[in-house]
Amino acid sequence: MSETPLIAIVDDDEAVRDALLNLLQVEGLGAMGYASAAAFLGDPVSRSFDCVITDVRMDGMDGLELQRRVRSIDPLMPVIFVTAAIDDTTRIRAMTEGATAYFTKPVANAELMRELFLALRLRPGC
Amino acid sequence: MPSSCANFFSRYVSGLAVEVTSLRPGVAKAGAGSHARDREMRRYDGACWALDISRARTLVASLAVGNRPAGWVERLLRETQIVEANANAVHLFGAYAGRDRMLGQPILAYWPAEGSFILADLLISAIITGSSTLRIRSLVLRDPKLTAWLSDDESQSDTLFLAILANPVDDRSFWSLRSSEERYNNLIHHLPFAFLEVDSRAQDERFDQLRRDGQTDISAYLAERPDDILEARKIVRITNVNQSAVTLFGARDADQLIGPVDPLFAASPDSARRVMEHHFAGDRRHSEIMKLRTFDGRLLDVSLSVIYPTRPEQLDITLIMLEDITERLRTEAQLRQLQTDFSRAARISMLGELTSSIAHEVNQPLSAILTYAETSLRWLSRDEPNLEKVTQLTTRISDSARHAGEIVQRIRGMTARHVPRMALVDLNDIVDEALLFVRHEIEARSISLSVRLRRDLPSVFGDRVQLQQVVVNLLVNGIQAIQQKHASAGAIELSTDLDDHDAVTFTIRDNGPGIAEEDFNRVFNSFFTTKEEGMGIGLAICQSIIAAHGGAIGAANLPEGGARFWFSLPAGR
């Protein structure tokens, strides 16, 4: 892949968003953060992302709904959930609705990156 | 008649004091029969009787030679008949019957039983020697003297005059005063709380002197002279106590209490100072709760009430009432402890229902910390470590860790055993803090939350944790109501405001099913719940907490559907 992959991070927690942005930066990926699903969907550049990492519970539209919206626009867009929600029903719903991966916070970088690179069809270390 | 009797006798007739300057009974010599008698009696403004002793002559003769047959006192008084009584004698002794009823009756019928020996003694002495005077004690007369003398008139040799020379303390009749005195004694001796009569005249004099010296700030004065307080505790004396006081003090008998008031204040020296301050200020009464060390060594909580005498009362009697409230205070403390334990149990139970919300709150900063830390390691493991980045990320780690610490602290605050601490708190802050516990419950259920907090809200006096608990409970209640309705667009509105009575209010509206008509009167009852899970203590706890804060709480259905719960708290100053 010649271009640097671009990842969207949608999380209403500023620290989490900032931490993930830093992680992707050190991994050599491009990333942008959004404080809400609405902010992301409303951004004209939202279609140019290669993957969406989102929380489930957020003020306003939640992550599951965001996944549905994203899929309706781009059925192949990978969506990775990183959430502090610990209930299984949400995990199952997210996965049956086609989530690429579902992590419960706190998440180890290595696991997140492995799934992210898989989603981006890139091998780790690339 | 001793000359000392002259010039001291005054009485009150229709409020007019009449000074009688001369009282020489022996001077009436003229006239005969009832005319002379009446004239002699008219010389008196005091209570005066003319008595016929003819029937008692035999007994008197026997008594005169030293015989004292059994029942002689009563017999003498029965054989001595009243033949005339002046207005004051009627007034003082006649009860309701009046003069006509008195005449022809034995003096025994009107003389107080406890004074009969004194009168009998006086009568004999007067009959034998011609005249006799006694100082007597009376509850209703001031410095009373009783005097009796035989008529100088030969034609009335069996007529004995009897007069009471004194200042009446009160214008009421002797009988009504006696019965009033009796009632008073009965009352204080049977009162269920300790009652002390205290003579503080010695202290009054000191206060008078202080006032003459221009002293006005007694607090400052006493603060500089603690010895004066100790001195007052010695010179102010307990003069009378009831049985309850003896019991309260654990005293052997009443005598043990008679004396300086000092023991009363042994465990509460400051109370003595305050009692003195109110006394100096001329207050009518003073009440406070203080510690009392009893004679048998117990330490009690007592409620002290002091009633200071004011004119025209007798200035020598300050009344002190003590009520043992040790048990009551202990019960109240136990009750408070129970309420505290109960509300804590309810908080823990409530937080149990909110674990996923709480986990979410704690997980957010933890997640950020982990990601920051691992990212830092990645920057460090590069061939050229980016120290600038690492420094930046490490700073953020510490920020997030601090944030996580604060959240944990708040949760611990809700679960820790704590003594309710009343302080001035901002209700808006409390609402913000309470939202921490439920925000994700609300978000998880896609409930739209609107918060309208009024700015410049006055503080309220309350316990932060308990008020947070109330707000969280009301929020959870609203969330669960919405859940019951299974409606899609759940909405909760929170607001704070100031009402017309300057009370700070909190209101929460939900668009759930509302409160069923039949449930209206019991929504705040313990163990009432419409939910399948839950014990039904949440709203009951809210009510008891708000009540303990001197506030009000209520619920109503909204016309557009849903319910409104509110509470109000008095603004703290």
Side-chain angles (χ1 to χ4, degrees):
Chain A
M1 207 164 177
S2 54
E3 278 181 55
T4 307
L6 190 59
I7 320 296
I9 297 162
V10 185
D11 197 312
D12 58 353
D13 189 282
E14 194 189 342
V16 169
R17 205 165 62 234
D18 183 54
L20 287 174
L21 284 171
N22 273 280
L23 171 64
L24 298 184
Q25 188 190 352
V26 76
E27 295 292 346
L29 299 170
M32 284 184 71
Y34 296 93
S36 70
F40 168 70
L41 292 170
D43 190 338
V45 302
S46 63
R47 287 160 182 267
S48 50
F49 288 97
D50 299 300
C51 180
V52 176
I53 298 177
T54 181
D55 195 355
V56 178
R57 294 182 178 178
M58 289 181 292
D59 226 357
M61 188 190 300
D62 69 9
L64 294 173
E65 181 60 23
L66 174 63
Q67 174 170 250
R68 268 173 240 129
R69 298 281 182 97
V70 166
R71 283 288 154 66
S72 70
I73 300 163
D74 180 353
L76 296 176
M77 172 77 85
V79 176
I80 297 176
F81 286 93
V82 178
T83 177
I86 51 173
D87 57 316
D88 285 338
T89 23
T90 315
R91 171 194 290 273
I92 292 161
R93 269 182 70 189
M95 295 309 284
T96 51
E97 287 175 18
T100 308
Y102 190 101
F103 294 104
T104 303
K105 291 175 186 173
V107 59
N109 289 9
E111 291 172 42
L112 177 61
M113 293 316 296
R114 188 166 56 241
E115 290 296 335
L116 180 59
F117 283 124
L118 267 177
L120 295 171
R121 302 171 197 284
L122 293 172
R123 277 177 296 162
C126 195
Chain B
M1 190 74 192
S3 60
S4 63
C5 287
N7 225 353
F8 78 104
F9 185 72
S10 72
R11 70 177 182 93
Y12 294 86
V13 177
S14 308
L16 180 70
V18 178
E19 191 79 2
V20 178
T21 52
S22 174
L23 276 171
R24 294 222 43 231
V27 295
K29 294 223 178 252
S34 64
H35 182 63
R37 186 189 68 207
D38 292 347
R39 199 165 48 208
E40 175 130 23
M41 287 187 63
R42 270 201 299 278
R43 303 182 70 87
Y44 286 88
D45 275 337
C48 189
W49 292 263
L51 304 173
D52 175 7
I53 54 164
S54 58
R55 290 181 57 199
R57 282 289 184 192
T58 321
L59 176 62
V60 171
S62 165
L63 294 169
V65 295
N67 293 331
R68 290 290 186 273
W72 70 272
V73 170
E74 192 189 327
R75 193 177 140 203
L76 177 65
L77 301 191
R78 191 181 305 114
E79 290 173 356
T80 304
Q81 283 182 323
I82 301 170
V83 288
E84 187 54 272
N86 73 356
N88 272 315
V90 173
H91 182 63
L92 198 58
F93 282 76
Y96 306 105
R99 174 176 171 275
D100 292 347
R101 186 75 182 276
M102 216 179 221
L103 302 187
Q105 294 293 317
I107 187 77
L108 180 72
Y110 290 92
W111 202 257
E114 69 271 19
S116 47
F117 182 84
I118 291 169
L119 178 64
D121 223 28
L122 180 83
L123 293 182
I124 298 165
S125 168
I127 292 166
I128 295 168
T129 66
S131 80
S132 183
T133 299
L134 270 182
R135 277 178 188 279
I136 57 170
R137 286 176 58 81
S138 165
L139 293 170
V140 292
L141 298 170
R142 192 167 295 146
D143 304 327
K145 283 176 187 148
L146 193 59
T147 186
W149 67 98
L150 278 171
S151 173
D152 285 358
D153 190 334
E154 299 299 332
S155 69
Q156 296 189 64
S157 58
D158 283 339
T159 299
L160 182 77
F161 294 98
L162 175 66
I164 293 174
L165 313 170
N167 296 319
V169 171
D170 196 292
D171 195 34
R172 288 169 288 174
S173 93
F174 180 79
W175 291 112
S176 89
L177 270 168
R178 263 179 62 80
S179 70
S180 147
E181 178 82 5
E182 201 90 323
R183 274 201 305 278
Y184 171 80
N185 278 325
N186 271 330
L187 188 67
I188 74 157
H189 283 288
H190 294 100
L191 276 179
F193 42 83
F195 188 91
L196 315 172
E197 285 181 0
V198 166
D199 180 352
S200 64
R201 282 177 300 178
Q203 187 59 39
D204 289 339
E205 286 168 20
R206 292 178 166 225
F207 279 160
D208 285 344
Q209 186 58 49
L210 283 179
R211 287 191 195 94
R212 280 195 294 275
D213 294 348
Q215 186 59 250
T216 51
D217 189 348
I218 190 70
S219 304
Y221 179 84
L222 291 175
E224 283 171 24
R225 293 171 189 76
D227 285 352
D228 278 25
I229 301 175
L230 293 177
E231 181 64 15
R233 284 164 55 176
K234 292 195 176 64
I235 59 172
V236 175
R237 297 175 63 83
I238 297 170
T239 53
N240 190 18
V241 300
N242 68 356
Q243 185 53 42
S244 297
V246 175
T247 311
L248 178 77
F249 275 87
R252 285 187 312 274
D253 49 31
D255 281 353
Q256 204 184 350
L257 274 167
I258 305 301
V261 291
D262 192 59
L264 178 60
F265 299 109
S268 301
D270 278 353
S271 298
R273 178 178 50 76
R274 283 188 289 272
V275 168
M276 289 176 75
E277 285 171 4
H278 287 276
H279 185 186
F280 186 82
D283 290 342
R284 183 71 173 122
R285 59 178 298 161
H286 166 65
S287 297
E288 66 173 65
I289 288 171
M290 66 170 214
K291 294 276 183 196
L292 177 75
R293 175 70 70 186
T294 63
F295 289 162
D296 52 1
R298 290 166 295 142
L299 189 63
L300 303 178
D301 291 299
V302 295
S303 149
L304 166 87
S305 296
V306 184
I307 300 170
Y308 302 99
T310 56
R311 289 169 208 281
E313 289 164 21
Q314 285 167 294
L315 294 177
D316 57 339
I317 299 181
T318 298
L319 303 178
I320 291 184
M321 278 166 280
L322 296 168
E323 191 182 1
D324 182 358
I325 56 169
T326 315
E327 201 54 42
R328 196 181 89 200
L329 292 185
R330 193 174 299 151
T331 309
E332 281 172 5
Q334 281 170 346
L335 193 61
R336 271 197 302 276
Q337 185 59 48
L338 269 177
Q339 278 171 339
T340 305
D341 290 349
F342 188 45
S343 59
R344 173 170 175 258
R347 277 201 299 280
I348 291 171
S349 143
M350 173 184 86
L351 291 181
E353 292 175 37
L354 300 174
T355 43
S356 79
S357 247
I358 292 165
H360 192 278
E361 288 295 333
V362 180
N363 263 338
Q364 295 286 36
L366 285 184
S367 179
I369 289 167
L370 185 61
T371 309
Y372 281 136
E374 292 186 352
T375 306
S376 300
L377 290 174
R378 287 279 285 150
W379 285 119
L380 286 170
S381 67
R382 290 197 161 187
D383 293 341
E384 280 179 40
N386 187 336
L387 292 181
E388 194 189 330
K389 266 287 174 195
V390 172
T391 308
Q392 185 194 67
L393 295 185
T394 309
T395 308
R396 291 182 193 175
I397 286 173
S398 99
D399 289 345
S400 286
R402 194 171 300 117
H403 180 52
E406 283 164 9
I407 292 167
V408 170
Q409 204 58 42
R410 277 192 205 172
I411 295 159
R412 280 179 56 190
M414 284 288 252
T415 57
R417 200 177 289 282
H418 87 296
V419 179
R421 210 173 29 240
M422 302 298 269
L424 283 176
V425 291
D426 184 334
L427 190 62
N428 288 346
D429 289 349
I430 283 172
V431 172
D432 274 340
E433 288 157 7
L435 279 171
L436 165 93
F437 294 97
V438 288
R439 197 169 57 211
H440 282 82
E441 293 292 322
I442 291 169
E443 287 169 2
R445 290 170 176 80
S446 301
I447 294 168
S448 86
L449 174 70
S450 109
V451 181
R452 284 184 296 116
L453 303 181
R454 173 165 170 160
R455 299 197 181 283
D456 66 47
L457 211 53
S459 300
V460 294
F461 198 60
D463 178 73
R464 175 173 290 272
V465 170
Q466 290 196 342
L467 292 179
Q468 272 178 29
Q469 177 177 7
V470 172
V471 175
V472 174
N473 257 319
L474 293 178
L475 274 161
V476 169
N477 189 62
I479 294 167
Q480 290 175 342
I482 288 169
Q483 221 174 348
Q484 276 184 319
K485 202 182 169 189
H486 300 293
S488 50
I492 287 179
E493 283 176 38
L494 298 187
S495 60
T496 57
D497 208 345
L498 197 62
D499 75 6
D500 300 340
H501 311 288
D502 274 350
V504 178
T505 62
F506 168 88
T507 307
I508 174 169
R509 297 160 199 269
D510 66 64
N511 64 349
I515 304 159
E517 199 62 46
E518 66 269 24
D519 295 339
F520 245 103
N521 293 326
R522 44 185 190 143
V523 284
F524 291 108
N525 289 1
S526 290
F527 308 114
F528 168 74
T529 180
T530 58
K531 292 149 200 158
E532 286 161 19
E533 294 169 8
M535 286 166 62
I537 54 174
L539 291 176
I541 284 283
C542 289
Q543 189 180 41
S544 78
I545 290 174
I546 294 300
H549 281 74
I553 190 166
N557 278 330
L558 296 167
E560 64 270 27
R564 174 175 72 98
F565 284 79
W566 59 270
F567 67 81
S568 67
L569 296 167
R573 290 279 169 248

